[in-house]
Structure formats: structure tokens, C-alpha cells
Amino acid sequence: LASALALGPPSPGDRLAVAVGTLDVLRAVAPVRVLVDDLHWLDPESSECLLAVGRRCGGDGVALVAAARPASLPEGHGLREHRLTGLDPTAARSLLPDLPAPDAEQILALADGNPLALRELPKALEGGATESPGDPLDPGARVTACFAQRIERLSPGARRGLVLLAASHDGRIGDLLRAYDAEGLPADDLAEAEAAEIVVVAGDRVRFGHPLLRKTAYRSATAAERRQAHVTLGEVVEGPVQIWHLAAAALGPDERVAQGLDASAVDAQARRGYHLASAALERAAQLSEDDFAGCLRLLGAGGAAIAAGDVGRAGVLAQEALDRATDPTLAAGAEHLSGIVEMWNADAGRAERRLRVAAQRFATTAPEQAAGMAADAALAATSNGDCRRAIEDGRRALALTEGRTGPVRAHAGTACAWALLLGGHRDAAIALYDEVEPAQLAADAPR
């Protein structure tokens, strides 16, 4: 957990161990209740971690209550749901300011019991909005429209400042003021947005009054204005986030920025942030100056997506790599990734056949990749209950790694030993595993 939060040294490994570490910390301070509002606004790693804690706590002094939009929860999240309805008319009226009866009735009809809408719609009336209650807009869309109107009423300088804040990573006021200065904006523009209750200044940070305000401010700007904001922030901020601003501002291939994203991905994977690592490598692939580097980064992005549990996205990246790969080694890597995606996301029998055929095809031009595919074909066959085929694939993987040492030999030997064991060849399995165990421990001790 300390590694994932950058409070300690990197500790690569399975991302789900972070959830276990989080639950251990909570149990240590139990009894404790964890309250999470707007779960859908969290980053994927944090959301996954908290959902895992919610599934596993109970009876140990730890409870978790999270609020989220229904469509934002992953399928099969495993938590008990309580679906909230809108506020009843009496409660809804209690949230409204003192308004003429026609205006109050209009807002009640538009808000449909949504507390945020009840708070924001009166401000739209103050600005002269005159939509009728019969407009076919849901409360969420109506609130977003209200936010857009409030932003539109600001001066041009204040609106430019909001784009800078929306593009900012963490809203540090020092960085923001330097960005204002770089764009020739006075600090009064920030004060204008604060007076309009669009932003809140607290300590050394500036934040939007609601996440939807940030989203609205960013989307209401033109693409050129957003890029300029990232260019400016890339010049004034320091640290790991700087490379993301440069990447957002890039209009074409830029190998220097791509290499910076590579480094960001390495750090993210070392801290089990596989979603972030995958995103960094995918963007680096888009900025690569040649197809070889781009395809290699796509394969890395796909592998990180699998480590993040996002097998569907890994399949998309694998197909893109297949379409771009011309080098035999990269083509083999793309076929391998596609086979793994099928193994975890589709049909183990089909995955075994695909990996077996690909291993035969690349046995001469890319023997190491072919060995890895044959080893994974063996694992796919065992999960499909076909031990005879698994042993054949495992022995093919061993043959392709004859005379080699290291991770590929370890993987081939482990997969073949597992197939032999499940096929009833106990002594042969033990002898083979004893041979490759040192290499396996050296390559990946936890595995």
C-alpha cells in the first residue's frame, strides 16, 4: 500500500495485493466506517481497490459505504446495492432559496428530486435562463447546461484561467499562478471565478466547486485552447506530471515525449499502477516516430492492460499491434498477446489452437516468442481439460528453449511440468520442475 501511494519504495507485483494491504490497515484501526462519495470520479486503481475492500469486509469491524452513478459500477461488482430515488416534494422545497412560486415550481419540475439540480438551477434563473419545465432534459444534463452558462458569464480572461485549472493535475496555486503569468492573466481573473462560486481556494490548492464544473470548463474550450493550456502548464510545472502535459499538447510524433512516457510507465508498473502504465504506453505509441517503437509500446500497453484486469482493452491494443507489425519478433509478440487475451476473455480451446499455430509459425524467425506461446498454449489446454494436448504444447516449448536459461526457459518448464502433473506423470513433472525452479525464482519469485 505504501508503494502504491508513493509513500514507500516501489514494490511491483499483483495489483490486488494493494487491496489486501488496504484492508489490513483498516482492520488495524477497526472499528471503522469508510465513506466514499462520487466513486465514479476516482481513478480506476483506487475504485477497484475500494470495491475489493467492500467485498471482503464485514464482521471484522470494517464497513464501506460508497455512492456512485449506477452505470459507472463494473458488472459483477459484488456489493449490495441500495438505489436512491429523488427527494420527495417537501424535502426538495426545503433546499430551494426564497423564490416566486412560478420559478419554484419550474425548478422542482426540472430537478426531479435531484439535490445538485435543486442547488444549481436557481443560479441559472438568476442568469436569465428561461427553459420551460417541459424541456426534454434530464436533471444531469440540465445541471451541466447551468454550469456552462455560469462559466460563459465570466470574462474571457477568467474563462482562460478555468481552462488552465481544468487541465491542471492537482490545482497547486503556485503552479496555477505561474501559468496565469505565462499567459498574461492577472490574479484577479482567479478571484472572479472564486466570487462566482465556480472555484474554491483552500490552502495551497484551487479546485472546482464540483467535478462537473471542471469537465464543463475543459470541454467548452476549443481543442487549440486546451492544447495551449497544456503547453503552458508543461512549461511551469515540475515532476512526473510534466510529461503528461507535453503529451497532451503534442500534435504529431515526438520521440522525446514518448520516451518520457516510457519512464512514467516504468514507474507506474513498479507501484502496481497498471492502468496508468497502459495509458502512458498507448500515448507513447501514438507519438512514436517509427512503427517498430510504436508497435513495441502497444505490446507493452496491452501487457499492462492485462495486468490491470482490463482484458478487453488489451485485445484492442493487440489487434492494433498486429495491424502495424512488420518485424517478425513484434508480429510474434502481437500474436502472443492476442492468444492470451482469448485465453482469459473468450475460449480456452480456441486460445490454445491460436497459440499453438502461432508458435509453429514463428519457431524459426522468433524462437523465444514461439516458446512463450507454446507454454501458454499448454496452460490454455490444461484449463480446457485437454492434458494430452497440454503435454504436447509443453514439450514443444521445452524444445524451443533447449540450451537456454532465464525467464523463457523457466516459463516453458513450469508450464510443461504442470501439464505432466495433471496428465498423471508425477515423477517426470517433479524432475522437470526441480530443473527449472531456480530460473523461475530468479525471474519472478512470487509467480
Side-chain angles (χ1 to χ4, degrees), residues 269-348:
Q269 292 194 83
R271 297 189 181 279
R272 311 180 194 224
Y274 298 110
H275 283 285
L276 181 61
S278 181
L281 288 169
E282 184 178 10
R283 181 58 177 148
Q286 294 166 353
L287 297 177
S288 298
E289 293 181 349
D290 64 78
D291 280 343
F292 185 92
C295 190
L296 190 63
R297 285 162 175 148
L298 282 174
L299 294 177
I306 287 178
D310 195 348
V311 185
R313 184 161 172 270
V316 173
L317 293 165
Q319 186 58 53
E320 188 177 346
L322 274 173
D323 294 340
R324 291 179 61 174
T326 54
D327 179 87
T329 303
L330 295 181
E335 282 286 358
H336 194 175
L337 181 60
S338 298
I340 292 173
V341 167
E342 286 200 3
M343 180 164 60
W344 290 115
N345 202 40
D347 178 272

Coordinates of all heavy atoms in Angstrom, one line a residue, residues 269-348:
Q269 N 4.3 0.9 -13.2 CA 4.2 -0.5 -13.1 C 5.0 -1.0 -11.8 O 4.6 -1.9 -11.1 CB 4.8 -1.2 -14.3 CG 4.0 -1.0 -15.5 CD 4.3 -2.0 -16.7 OE1 3.9 -3.1 -16.7 NE2 5.1 -1.5 -17.6
A270 N 6.0 -0.2 -11.5 CA 6.8 -0.6 -10.2 C 5.9 -0.3 -9.0 O 6.2 -0.9 -7.9 CB 8.1 0.3 -10.2
R271 N 4.9 0.5 -9.1 CA 4.0 0.8 -8.0 C 2.6 0.2 -8.2 O 1.6 0.6 -7.6 CB 3.9 2.3 -7.8 CG 5.2 2.9 -7.4 CD 5.1 4.4 -7.0 NE 6.4 5.0 -6.6 CZ 7.0 4.8 -5.5 NH1 6.5 4.1 -4.5 NH2 8.2 5.3 -5.3
R272 N 2.5 -0.8 -9.1 CA 1.3 -1.6 -9.4 C 0.2 -0.7 -10.0 O -1.0 -1.1 -9.9 CB 0.8 -2.3 -8.2 CG 1.9 -3.1 -7.5 CD 1.4 -3.8 -6.2 NE 2.5 -4.2 -5.4 CZ 2.6 -5.4 -4.8 NH1 1.6 -6.3 -5.0 NH2 3.6 -5.8 -4.1
G273 N 0.6 0.4 -10.6 CA -0.4 1.3 -11.3 C -0.5 0.9 -12.7 O -0.1 1.7 -13.6
Y274 N -1.1 -0.3 -13.0 CA -1.1 -0.8 -14.4 C -2.0 -0.1 -15.3 O -1.7 0.0 -16.5 CB -1.4 -2.3 -14.4 CG -0.4 -3.1 -13.5 CD1 -0.7 -3.7 -12.3 CD2 0.9 -3.3 -14.0 CE1 0.2 -4.4 -11.6 CE2 1.9 -3.9 -13.3 CZ 1.5 -4.5 -12.1 OH 2.5 -5.2 -11.3
H275 N -3.1 0.5 -14.8 CA -4.0 1.3 -15.7 C -3.2 2.5 -16.2 O -3.2 2.8 -17.4 CB -5.2 1.8 -14.9 CG -6.3 0.7 -14.8 ND1 -7.1 0.3 -15.8 CD2 -6.6 0.0 -13.7 CE1 -8.0 -0.6 -15.4 NE2 -7.7 -0.8 -14.1
L276 N -2.5 3.2 -15.3 CA -1.7 4.3 -15.7 C -0.6 4.0 -16.7 O -0.3 4.7 -17.6 CB -1.2 5.0 -14.5 CG -0.4 6.3 -14.7 CD1 -1.2 7.4 -15.4 CD2 0.2 6.8 -13.4
A277 N 0.1 2.9 -16.4 CA 1.2 2.4 -17.2 C 0.7 2.1 -18.6 O 1.3 2.5 -19.6 CB 1.8 1.2 -16.6
S278 N -0.5 1.5 -18.7 CA -1.0 1.1 -20.1 C -1.4 2.4 -20.8 O -1.1 2.5 -22.0 CB -2.3 0.3 -19.9 OG -2.8 -0.1 -21.1
A279 N -2.0 3.4 -20.1 CA -2.3 4.6 -20.8 C -1.1 5.4 -21.3 O -1.1 5.9 -22.4 CB -3.1 5.5 -19.9
A280 N 0.0 5.4 -20.5 CA 1.2 6.1 -20.8 C 1.8 5.4 -22.1 O 2.3 6.1 -23.0 CB 2.2 6.0 -19.7
L281 N 1.9 4.1 -22.1 CA 2.5 3.4 -23.2 C 1.7 3.5 -24.5 O 2.2 3.6 -25.6 CB 2.7 1.9 -22.9 CG 3.8 1.7 -21.9 CD1 3.8 0.2 -21.4 CD2 5.2 2.0 -22.5
E282 N 0.3 3.6 -24.4 CA -0.5 3.8 -25.5 C -0.3 5.1 -26.1 O -0.2 5.3 -27.4 CB -2.0 3.6 -25.2 CG -2.9 3.7 -26.4 CD -4.4 3.4 -26.0 OE1 -4.7 3.4 -24.8 OE2 -5.2 3.3 -27.0
R283 N -0.2 6.2 -25.3 CA 0.0 7.5 -25.8 C 1.4 7.6 -26.4 O 1.6 8.3 -27.4 CB -0.2 8.5 -24.7 CG 0.1 10.0 -25.1 CD -0.9 10.4 -26.2 NE -0.7 11.8 -26.6 CZ -0.9 12.3 -27.8 NH1 -1.3 11.5 -28.8 NH2 -0.7 13.6 -28.0
A284 N 2.4 6.9 -25.8 CA 3.8 6.9 -26.3 C 3.8 6.3 -27.7 O 4.5 6.7 -28.6 CB 4.7 6.2 -25.4
A285 N 3.0 5.2 -27.9 CA 2.9 4.6 -29.2 C 2.4 5.6 -30.2 O 2.9 5.6 -31.4 CB 2.0 3.4 -29.1
Q286 N 1.4 6.4 -29.9 CA 0.8 7.4 -30.8 C 1.9 8.4 -31.2 O 1.8 9.0 -32.3 CB -0.4 8.0 -30.2 CG -1.5 7.1 -30.0 CD -2.6 7.6 -29.0 OE1 -2.4 8.7 -28.5 NE2 -3.7 6.9 -28.9
L287 N 2.8 8.7 -30.3 CA 3.8 9.7 -30.5 C 5.1 9.2 -31.1 O 6.1 10.0 -31.3 CB 4.1 10.5 -29.2 CG 2.9 11.3 -28.6 CD1 3.3 11.9 -27.3 CD2 2.4 12.3 -29.6
S288 N 5.2 7.9 -31.3 CA 6.4 7.3 -31.8 C 6.8 7.7 -33.2 O 5.9 7.9 -34.0 CB 6.3 5.7 -31.7 OG 6.1 5.3 -30.4
E289 N 8.0 7.9 -33.4 CA 8.5 8.3 -34.7 C 8.7 7.2 -35.8 O 8.9 7.5 -36.9 CB 9.8 9.2 -34.6 CG 9.5 10.5 -33.8 CD 10.7 11.3 -33.7 OE1 11.8 10.8 -34.0 OE2 10.6 12.5 -33.2
D290 N 8.7 6.0 -35.3 CA 8.7 4.9 -36.3 C 7.8 3.7 -35.8 O 7.5 3.6 -34.6 CB 10.2 4.4 -36.5 CG 10.8 3.8 -35.2 OD1 10.4 2.6 -34.9 OD2 11.5 4.5 -34.5
D291 N 7.4 2.9 -36.8 CA 6.5 1.8 -36.5 C 7.0 0.8 -35.5 O 6.3 0.2 -34.7 CB 6.1 1.1 -37.8 CG 5.0 1.9 -38.5 OD1 4.4 2.8 -37.9 OD2 4.8 1.7 -39.7
F292 N 8.3 0.5 -35.6 CA 8.9 -0.5 -34.7 C 8.7 -0.1 -33.2 O 8.2 -0.9 -32.4 CB 10.4 -0.7 -34.9 CG 11.0 -1.8 -34.1 CD1 11.0 -3.1 -34.6 CD2 11.5 -1.6 -32.9 CE1 11.6 -4.1 -33.9 CE2 12.1 -2.6 -32.1 CZ 12.1 -3.9 -32.6
A293 N 9.1 1.1 -32.9 CA 8.9 1.6 -31.5 C 7.5 1.7 -31.1 O 7.1 1.4 -30.0 CB 9.6 3.0 -31.4
G294 N 6.6 2.2 -32.0 CA 5.2 2.3 -31.8 C 4.6 1.0 -31.5 O 3.8 0.8 -30.5
C295 N 4.9 -0.1 -32.3 CA 4.3 -1.4 -32.1 C 4.8 -2.0 -30.8 O 4.1 -2.6 -30.0 CB 4.7 -2.3 -33.2 SG 3.9 -3.9 -33.3
L296 N 6.1 -1.8 -30.4 CA 6.7 -2.3 -29.2 C 5.9 -1.7 -28.0 O 5.6 -2.4 -27.0 CB 8.1 -2.0 -29.1 CG 9.0 -2.7 -28.0 CD1 8.9 -4.2 -28.2 CD2 10.4 -2.1 -28.0
R297 N 5.6 -0.4 -28.1 CA 4.9 0.3 -27.0 C 3.5 -0.2 -26.9 O 2.9 -0.3 -25.8 CB 5.0 1.8 -27.2 CG 6.4 2.3 -26.8 CD 6.6 3.7 -27.4 NE 7.9 4.2 -26.9 CZ 8.7 5.1 -27.6 NH1 8.3 5.4 -28.8 NH2 9.8 5.5 -27.1
L298 N 2.8 -0.5 -28.0 CA 1.5 -1.0 -28.0 C 1.4 -2.4 -27.3 O 0.5 -2.7 -26.5 CB 0.9 -1.2 -29.4 CG 0.5 0.1 -30.1 CD1 0.1 -0.2 -31.6 CD2 -0.8 0.7 -29.4
L299 N 2.5 -3.2 -27.5 CA 2.5 -4.5 -26.9 C 2.7 -4.3 -25.4 O 2.1 -5.0 -24.6 CB 3.7 -5.3 -27.4 CG 3.5 -5.8 -28.9 CD1 4.8 -6.6 -29.3 CD2 2.3 -6.7 -29.0
G300 N 3.5 -3.4 -25.0 CA 3.7 -3.1 -23.5 C 2.4 -2.6 -22.9 O 2.0 -2.9 -21.8
A301 N 1.7 -1.7 -23.7 CA 0.4 -1.2 -23.2 C -0.6 -2.3 -23.0 O -1.4 -2.4 -22.0 CB -0.1 -0.2 -24.1
G302 N -0.6 -3.3 -24.0 CA -1.5 -4.4 -23.8 C -1.2 -5.3 -22.7 O -2.1 -5.8 -21.9
G303 N 0.1 -5.6 -22.4 CA 0.5 -6.4 -21.3 C 0.1 -5.7 -20.0 O -0.3 -6.4 -19.0
A304 N 0.3 -4.4 -19.9 CA -0.1 -3.6 -18.7 C -1.6 -3.7 -18.5 O -2.1 -3.7 -17.4 CB 0.4 -2.2 -18.8
A305 N -2.4 -3.6 -19.6 CA -3.8 -3.7 -19.5 C -4.3 -5.0 -18.9 O -5.2 -5.1 -18.1 CB -4.5 -3.5 -20.9
I306 N -3.6 -6.1 -19.3 CA -3.9 -7.4 -18.8 C -3.6 -7.5 -17.3 O -4.4 -8.0 -16.5 CB -3.1 -8.5 -19.5 CG1 -3.7 -8.7 -20.9 CG2 -3.1 -9.8 -18.7 CD1 -3.0 -9.8 -21.8
A307 N -2.4 -6.9 -16.9 CA -2.1 -6.8 -15.5 C -3.1 -6.0 -14.7 O -3.3 -6.2 -13.5 CB -0.7 -6.2 -15.3
A308 N -3.7 -5.0 -15.4 CA -4.8 -4.2 -14.7 C -6.1 -4.9 -14.7 O -7.1 -4.3 -14.1 CB -4.9 -2.9 -15.4
G309 N -6.2 -6.0 -15.4 CA -7.5 -6.7 -15.4 C -8.4 -6.3 -16.5 O -9.6 -6.7 -16.6
D310 N -7.9 -5.4 -17.4 CA -8.8 -4.9 -18.5 C -8.4 -5.7 -19.8 O -7.7 -5.2 -20.7 CB -8.5 -3.4 -18.7 CG -9.5 -2.7 -19.5 OD1 -10.3 -3.4 -20.2 OD2 -9.5 -1.5 -19.6
V311 N -8.9 -6.9 -19.8 CA -8.6 -7.8 -20.9 C -9.2 -7.3 -22.3 O -8.6 -7.4 -23.3 CB -9.0 -9.2 -20.6 CG1 -8.6 -10.2 -21.7 CG2 -8.5 -9.7 -19.3
G312 N -10.4 -6.7 -22.2 CA -11.0 -6.2 -23.4 C -10.1 -5.1 -24.1 O -9.9 -5.2 -25.3
R313 N -9.6 -4.2 -23.3 CA -8.8 -3.2 -23.9 C -7.5 -3.8 -24.4 O -6.9 -3.3 -25.4 CB -8.5 -2.1 -22.8 CG -7.7 -0.9 -23.3 CD -7.8 0.3 -22.3 NE -6.9 1.3 -22.7 CZ -5.7 1.5 -22.3 NH1 -5.2 0.6 -21.4 NH2 -4.9 2.5 -22.7
A314 N -6.9 -4.8 -23.7 CA -5.7 -5.5 -24.1 C -6.0 -6.0 -25.5 O -5.1 -6.0 -26.4 CB -5.3 -6.5 -23.2
G315 N -7.2 -6.6 -25.8 CA -7.4 -7.1 -27.1 C -7.4 -6.1 -28.2 O -6.9 -6.3 -29.3
V316 N -8.0 -4.9 -27.9 CA -7.9 -3.8 -28.9 C -6.5 -3.4 -29.2 O -6.1 -3.2 -30.4 CB -8.7 -2.6 -28.3 CG1 -8.6 -1.4 -29.2 CG2 -10.2 -3.0 -28.2
L317 N -5.7 -3.3 -28.1 CA -4.3 -2.9 -28.3 C -3.5 -4.0 -29.1 O -2.7 -3.7 -30.0 CB -3.6 -2.7 -27.0 CG -4.1 -1.4 -26.2 CD1 -3.7 -1.5 -24.8 CD2 -3.6 -0.1 -26.9
A318 N -3.8 -5.3 -28.8 CA -3.2 -6.4 -29.5 C -3.5 -6.3 -31.0 O -2.6 -6.6 -31.9 CB -3.6 -7.7 -28.9
Q319 N -4.7 -6.1 -31.3 CA -5.1 -6.0 -32.7 C -4.5 -4.8 -33.5 O -4.0 -5.0 -34.6 CB -6.7 -5.9 -32.9 CG -7.2 -5.9 -34.3 CD -6.8 -7.2 -35.0 OE1 -7.0 -8.3 -34.5 NE2 -6.2 -7.1 -36.1
E320 N -4.3 -3.7 -32.8 CA -3.6 -2.6 -33.4 C -2.2 -2.9 -33.6 O -1.6 -2.5 -34.7 CB -3.8 -1.3 -32.5 CG -3.2 -0.1 -33.1 CD -3.4 1.2 -32.2 OE1 -4.2 1.1 -31.3 OE2 -2.8 2.2 -32.5
A321 N -1.6 -3.6 -32.7 CA -0.2 -4.0 -32.9 C 0.0 -5.0 -34.0 O 0.9 -4.9 -34.8 CB 0.4 -4.6 -31.6
L322 N -1.0 -5.9 -34.1 CA -1.0 -6.9 -35.3 C -1.1 -6.1 -36.6 O -0.4 -6.5 -37.6 CB -2.2 -7.8 -35.1 CG -2.0 -9.1 -34.3 CD1 -3.3 -9.8 -34.1 CD2 -0.9 -10.0 -34.9
D323 N -1.9 -5.1 -36.6 CA -2.1 -4.4 -37.9 C -0.8 -3.6 -38.3 O -0.6 -3.3 -39.5 CB -3.2 -3.4 -37.7 CG -4.6 -4.1 -37.6 OD1 -4.7 -5.3 -38.0 OD2 -5.5 -3.5 -37.1
R324 N 0.0 -3.2 -37.3 CA 1.2 -2.4 -37.5 C 2.5 -3.2 -37.7 O 3.4 -2.7 -38.2 CB 1.3 -1.3 -36.4 CG 0.3 -0.3 -36.4 CD 0.5 0.7 -35.3 NE 1.7 1.5 -35.3 CZ 2.0 2.5 -34.5 NH1 1.2 2.9 -33.6 NH2 3.2 3.1 -34.6
A325 N 2.5 -4.4 -37.1 CA 3.7 -5.1 -37.0 C 4.2 -5.6 -38.4 O 3.5 -6.3 -39.1 CB 3.6 -6.3 -36.0
T326 N 5.5 -5.3 -38.7 CA 6.1 -5.9 -39.9 C 7.3 -6.7 -39.5 O 7.7 -7.7 -40.1 CB 6.6 -4.8 -40.8 OG1 7.4 -3.8 -40.1 CG2 5.4 -4.0 -41.4
D327 N 8.0 -6.4 -38.4 CA 9.1 -7.2 -37.9 C 8.6 -8.5 -37.3 O 7.6 -8.5 -36.6 CB 9.8 -6.4 -36.8 CG 11.0 -7.1 -36.2 OD1 12.1 -7.0 -36.7 OD2 10.7 -7.8 -35.1
P328 N 9.2 -9.6 -37.6 CA 8.7 -10.9 -37.1 C 8.6 -11.1 -35.6 O 7.7 -11.6 -35.1 CB 9.8 -11.9 -37.7 CG 10.4 -11.2 -38.8 CD 10.4 -9.8 -38.5
T329 N 9.6 -10.5 -34.9 CA 9.6 -10.5 -33.5 C 8.4 -9.8 -32.9 O 7.7 -10.3 -32.0 CB 10.9 -9.9 -32.9 OG1 12.0 -10.6 -33.4 CG2 10.9 -10.0 -31.4
L330 N 8.1 -8.6 -33.4 CA 6.9 -7.9 -33.0 C 5.6 -8.5 -33.4 O 4.6 -8.6 -32.6 CB 7.0 -6.5 -33.5 CG 8.1 -5.6 -33.0 CD1 8.0 -4.2 -33.6 CD2 8.2 -5.5 -31.5
A331 N 5.6 -9.1 -34.6 CA 4.4 -9.8 -35.0 C 4.1 -11.0 -34.1 O 3.0 -11.3 -33.8 CB 4.5 -10.3 -36.5
A332 N 5.2 -11.7 -33.7 CA 5.0 -12.8 -32.8 C 4.5 -12.4 -31.5 O 3.6 -13.0 -30.8 CB 6.3 -13.6 -32.6
G333 N 5.0 -11.2 -31.0 CA 4.6 -10.7 -29.7 C 3.1 -10.3 -29.8 O 2.3 -10.5 -28.8
A334 N 2.7 -9.7 -30.9 CA 1.3 -9.4 -31.1 C 0.4 -10.6 -31.1 O -0.7 -10.6 -30.5 CB 1.1 -8.5 -32.3
E335 N 0.8 -11.6 -31.8 CA 0.0 -12.9 -31.8 C -0.1 -13.5 -30.4 O -1.1 -14.0 -30.0 CB 0.7 -13.9 -32.8 CG 0.4 -13.6 -34.2 CD -1.0 -14.0 -34.6 OE1 -1.8 -14.5 -33.8 OE2 -1.4 -13.8 -35.8
H336 N 1.0 -13.4 -29.7 CA 1.1 -14.0 -28.3 C 0.1 -13.2 -27.4 O -0.7 -13.8 -26.7 CB 2.5 -13.8 -27.8 CG 2.7 -14.6 -26.5 ND1 4.0 -14.7 -25.9 CD2 1.9 -15.4 -25.7 CE1 3.9 -15.5 -24.8 NE2 2.6 -15.9 -24.7
L337 N 0.1 -11.9 -27.5 CA -0.8 -11.1 -26.7 C -2.2 -11.4 -27.1 O -3.1 -11.5 -26.2 CB -0.5 -9.6 -26.9 CG -1.4 -8.6 -26.1 CD1 -1.2 -8.9 -24.6 CD2 -1.0 -7.2 -26.4
S338 N -2.5 -11.6 -28.3 CA -3.9 -11.9 -28.8 C -4.3 -13.2 -28.2 O -5.5 -13.4 -27.8 CB -4.0 -11.9 -30.3 OG -3.7 -10.6 -30.8
G339 N -3.4 -14.2 -28.2 CA -3.8 -15.5 -27.7 C -4.0 -15.5 -26.2 O -5.0 -16.1 -25.7
I340 N -3.3 -14.7 -25.4 CA -3.5 -14.5 -24.0 C -4.9 -13.9 -23.8 O -5.6 -14.3 -22.8 CB -2.4 -13.7 -23.4 CG1 -1.1 -14.6 -23.4 CG2 -2.7 -13.4 -21.9 CD1 0.1 -13.8 -22.9
V341 N -5.2 -12.9 -24.6 CA -6.5 -12.2 -24.4 C -7.6 -13.2 -24.6 O -8.6 -13.3 -23.9 CB -6.6 -11.1 -25.4 CG1 -8.1 -10.6 -25.5 CG2 -5.7 -9.9 -25.0
E342 N -7.5 -14.1 -25.7 CA -8.5 -15.1 -25.9 C -8.6 -16.1 -24.7 O -9.7 -16.5 -24.3 CB -8.2 -15.8 -27.2 CG -8.6 -15.0 -28.4 CD -8.8 -15.9 -29.7 OE1 -8.7 -17.1 -29.6 OE2 -9.0 -15.3 -30.8
M343 N -7.4 -16.4 -24.2 CA -7.4 -17.4 -23.1 C -8.2 -16.9 -21.9 O -8.9 -17.6 -21.2 CB -6.0 -17.7 -22.7 CG -5.9 -18.7 -21.5 SD -4.2 -19.4 -21.4 CE -3.2 -18.0 -21.1
W344 N -8.1 -15.6 -21.6 CA -8.7 -15.0 -20.4 C -10.1 -14.4 -20.6 O -10.8 -14.2 -19.7 CB -7.8 -13.9 -19.8 CG -6.5 -14.5 -19.2 CD1 -5.3 -14.2 -19.6 CD2 -6.4 -15.3 -18.1 NE1 -4.4 -14.9 -18.8 CE2 -5.0 -15.6 -17.9 CE3 -7.3 -15.9 -17.2 CZ2 -4.6 -16.4 -16.9 CZ3 -6.9 -16.8 -16.2 CH2 -5.5 -17.0 -16.0
N345 N -10.4 -14.2 -21.9 CA -11.6 -13.4 -22.2 C -12.6 -14.1 -23.1 O -13.7 -13.7 -23.2 CB -11.2 -12.1 -22.8 CG -12.3 -11.0 -22.6 OD1 -12.9 -10.9 -21.6 ND2 -12.6 -10.3 -23.7
A346 N -12.2 -15.2 -23.7 CA -13.1 -15.8 -24.7 C -13.2 -17.3 -24.5 O -14.0 -17.8 -23.7 CB -12.6 -15.5 -26.1
D347 N -12.3 -18.1 -25.2 CA -12.5 -19.6 -25.2 C -11.1 -20.2 -25.1 O -10.2 -19.9 -25.9 CB -13.2 -20.0 -26.5 CG -13.3 -21.5 -26.6 OD1 -12.4 -22.1 -27.1 OD2 -14.3 -22.0 -26.1
A348 N -10.9 -21.0 -24.0 CA -9.5 -21.6 -23.8 C -9.1 -22.5 -24.9 O -7.9 -22.5 -25.3 CB -9.5 -22.3 -22.5

